[in-house]
Amino acid sequence: MERVLLALGRKEPDSVPIDLGGPVSSIHILAYQELTKFLAMNTSPVIKDRIQQIVDPDEALLRRFDVDFRHISLRPPDVWRFREFEDPSGRLAFVDEWGIKWARGPYYYDMIDHPLRNATIAQLETFEWPNPADPGRTQGLEKQAKTLRETTDFAIVADSIYGGLFETAWWLRGFEKLMIDFHRNVEFVELLLDRLLELFKSFYTEFLRAVGDYVQVVQFGDDYGMQTGPILSPELFRSLFKPRLKELYDHIHRTTKARIFHHSCGSVRPLIPDLAEAGVDILNPVQPFAVGMEPESLKRDFGSLICFHGGLDVQRLLPFETAENVSREAERVAETLGAGGGYIFASAHNMQAFTPPENICAAFDSVRSIKHL
């Protein structure tokens, strides 16, 4: 854990901390099966996120790559049970506890229905929202976190909960409908975001009541970026989302001493100062081929403001390059973002199906071989 705390304090540790796992830095089950076969490991993968089809990596694999973190997640509520059925097109589908319908695609689940698509302001009040205080969510978590803290030296991460404010809003409403609402139905948007903010505050209250004394990092995810720039204008982000993010992150900071990790895919460079002002300590995933997210310029312009997590490309590099090129690029990213501390090495999102196992090994092994002290 000392290695992680030094990096988070913007001091250079003996080597760059490594993360693997959680909802945004893990591995698709198909790639995981190939990787463990390649490494001659006999494991029984557990699906961590049904929608993304990513796994909770086995302890043997985490130790093989000398991973510095262990992840803890909220559990399903007692009142909801997963039930899969066939949709009209014959695909396997399920409805989650928010009422959103997902259908099985070739590699993961796609969203196919939004329960608030046609809702009015009045219907927001009668919508059946999830119950953050359902006792099933935190069953056994305090014991799990306490055991990790007392028997290991790993940094512990409280994983993110569902989508963020923007993501959950459009998952419930539909993307196109919500984007229109921003301009034509602002009162509805404000009420929806306020309701989601209170829900997420309650979720983290329950989660951190169980694990807050033991964790070093608390995750939250909300995608604001496309490949070419932010989805939302900086002005819209600052008016609708930044104040609510700050309220949520102030609440989390009052509840635990852990650092706040914010995940946003894509190009979010114009929003980084705002995220830091809202209370973000760690920014993930540093998507290197998104506009303005090159490691060199991020480190130069924002390295004193925020820590970075991720940076290893999963779009072009890991799936398609040679192991030699992967190793070289992993070292470059780690040296660039890790100079002087303030960086945790991980893939720039979950490693996808059919990522060659040789490339995964090359990336993690080459970064661990870099010694700073």
Side-chain angles (χ1 to χ4, degrees):
M1 183 165 59
E2 180 182 3
R3 179 183 292 151
V4 172
L5 295 179
L6 283 171
L8 294 179
R10 294 182 183 80
K11 297 178 182 179
E12 198 164 283
D14 62 328
S15 63
V16 170
I18 290 174
D19 195 11
L20 172 63
V24 293
S25 303
S26 189
I27 179 171
H28 191 281
I29 187 170
L30 293 179
Y32 183 82
Q33 290 169 335
E34 289 301 310
L35 176 61
T36 52
K37 180 181 177 181
F38 177 77
L39 293 171
M41 288 182 173
N42 184 20
T43 65
S44 299
V46 175
I47 296 288
K48 182 182 188 72
D49 182 324
R50 181 176 285 108
I51 293 166
Q52 299 186 88
Q53 289 290 290
I54 57 171
V55 304
D56 204 356
D58 189 84
E59 181 66 21
L61 183 67
L62 297 178
R63 291 185 180 273
R64 163 65 179 77
F65 290 142
D66 196 16
V67 175
D68 295 285
F69 295 82
R70 294 299 183 269
H71 290 254
I72 293 178
S73 302
L74 275 183
R75 303 188 179 192
D78 285 340
V79 299
W80 179 83
R81 291 288 181 272
F82 173 75
R83 183 179 65 84
E84 205 163 41
F85 55 89
E86 284 193 2
D87 75 354
S89 66
R91 293 181 297 175
L92 290 175
F94 75 97
V95 178
D96 69 19
E97 63 169 321
W98 295 76
I100 299 167
K101 184 182 289 187
W102 304 81
R104 182 69 186 262
Y107 303 114
Y108 46 82
Y109 283 78
D110 297 309
M111 195 181 319
I112 60 171
D113 193 33
H114 312 277
L116 295 180
R117 179 187 297 277
N118 298 312
T120 63
I121 287 175
Q123 289 171 322
L124 282 179
E125 297 302 318
T126 59
F127 185 68
E128 188 174 346
W129 300 97
N131 176 17
D134 185 296
R137 298 189 194 278
T138 56
Q139 184 77 31
L141 292 189
E142 182 175 7
K143 181 180 179 181
Q144 180 186 1
K146 188 171 187 287
T147 299
L148 279 171
R149 177 76 293 112
E150 292 178 350
T151 63
T152 77
D153 194 38
F154 301 119
I156 306 173
V157 182
D159 283 340
S160 54
I161 299 167
Y162 206 64
L165 296 169
F166 174 53
E167 283 186 301
T168 306
W170 79 256
W171 292 358
L172 290 166
R173 185 70 163 164
F175 187 82
E176 182 178 353
K177 191 71 174 284
L178 184 69
M179 297 302 280
I180 293 171
D181 288 338
F182 285 144
H183 301 281
R184 297 184 180 177
N185 200 359
V186 178
E187 183 183 2
F188 181 93
V189 171
E190 296 265 11
L191 290 170
L192 174 58
L193 293 179
D194 285 342
R195 181 61 176 140
L196 292 175
L197 172 61
E198 292 308 311
L199 275 171
F200 281 119
K201 286 168 65 177
S202 297
F203 271 117
Y204 280 102
T205 295
E206 298 300 324
F207 196 4
L208 296 174
R209 182 177 291 137
V211 306
D213 290 341
Y214 307 106
V215 299
Q216 285 68 55
V217 176
V218 176
Q219 290 188 347
F220 187 71
D222 210 6
D223 285 341
Y224 304 128
M226 303 178 290
Q227 195 76 15
T228 55
I231 299 171
L232 309 171
S233 71
E235 294 75 21
L236 185 62
F237 174 80
R238 289 166 191 150
S239 66
L240 286 177
F241 293 95
K242 182 179 177 180
R244 291 176 172 88
L245 274 183
K246 186 173 188 329
E247 184 173 338
L248 175 62
Y249 290 157
D250 285 348
H251 174 73
I252 293 173
H253 275 137
R254 287 192 296 268
T255 309
T256 178
K257 295 179 181 178
R259 302 319 213 289
I260 290 178
F261 167 119
H262 183 104
H263 163 84
S264 176
C265 287
S267 173
V268 293
R269 186 187 188 89
L271 307 181
I272 291 176
D274 296 291
L275 291 169
E277 289 175 4
V280 175
D281 302 298
I282 306 162
L283 179 64
N284 160 278
V286 189
Q287 189 175 321
F289 285 111
V291 171
M293 299 301 288
E294 304 84 6
E296 293 82 1
S297 63
L298 289 181
K299 186 69 172 182
R300 180 193 67 224
D301 296 340
F302 306 112
S304 64
L305 192 64
I306 205 163
C307 296
F308 295 104
H309 178 290
L312 185 71
D313 176 56
V314 299
Q315 295 175 286
R316 307 178 194 173
L317 179 77
L318 271 174
F320 303 121
E321 286 287 353
T322 65
E324 181 181 1
N325 287 345
V326 168
S327 179
R328 186 181 302 114
E329 179 64 9
E331 290 178 10
R332 186 189 72 81
V333 169
E335 293 280 18
T336 300
L337 290 173
Y343 175 59
I344 296 159
F345 176 80
S347 55
H349 218 306
N350 298 310
M351 293 176 279
Q352 294 300 297
F354 308 118
T355 301
E358 298 90 341
N359 288 3
I360 297 172
C361 292
F364 285 92
D365 290 345
S366 62
V367 168
R368 180 51 79 224
S369 69
I370 301 171
K371 298 298 178 183
H372 289 156
L373 298 178

